[in-house]
Amino acid sequence: SSSSSSSNNKNKFQFSIDRGGTFTDVHCILPNGKEIVRKLLSEDPDNYKDAPTEGIRRILAEYDTDTGGGGGRARTYQRNEKVYTGNISSIR
């Protein structure tokens, strides 16, 4: 049902990304409902290949405490490592 799907999304990260010429804004609604925004340079090849992916990685590294393994421990997200997407409900 759509109500259970909506309920499940509330326990996951919801991302909206606005990539501009100079900066990329990564907006996220955290599982607890808090909204945060991270701003990164759209191009910074010395530090990351892709700004939207890096923004998502940084937010998950800071706030994702349930990466499917249980225990509630924060996971370390290394650059260029695939991120665990089980706790993400949307990216747009």
Side-chain angles (χ1 to χ4, degrees), residues 1-42:
S1 78
S2 70
S3 63
S4 69
S5 173
S6 174
S7 167
N8 289 341
N9 286 343
K10 290 181 181 180
N11 296 321
K12 295 186 176 192
F13 294 85
Q14 300 173 53
F15 291 96
S16 297
I17 299 170
D18 179 17
R19 184 178 188 136
T22 303
F23 292 103
T24 295
D25 296 318
V26 180
H27 175 267
C28 182
I29 301 174
L30 301 173
N32 65 9
K34 179 180 176 182
E35 295 185 36
I36 60 169
V37 177
R38 296 291 183 263
K39 183 179 287 278
L40 294 89
L41 288 171
S42 292

Side-chain angles (χ1 to χ4, degrees), residues 14-90:
Q14 300 173 53
F15 291 96
S16 297
I17 299 170
D18 179 17
R19 184 178 188 136
T22 303
F23 292 103
T24 295
D25 296 318
V26 180
H27 175 267
C28 182
I29 301 174
L30 301 173
N32 65 9
K34 179 180 176 182
E35 295 185 36
I36 60 169
V37 177
R38 296 291 183 263
K39 183 179 287 278
L40 294 89
L41 288 171
S42 292
E43 299 291 330
D44 191 359
D46 290 337
N47 291 300
Y48 45 84
K49 293 180 183 179
D50 180 69
T53 302
E54 178 65 11
I56 291 169
R57 185 195 69 78
R58 289 181 184 187
I59 290 170
L60 291 176
E62 188 173 349
Y63 292 99
D64 185 8
T65 58
D66 180 14
T67 58
R73 291 189 292 168
R75 175 165 172 17
T76 302
Y77 285 92
Q78 300 296 325
R79 284 201 178 107
N80 301 320
E81 171 189 352
K82 290 184 179 184
V83 298
Y84 173 73
T85 59
N87 290 337
I88 298 174
S89 69
S90 64

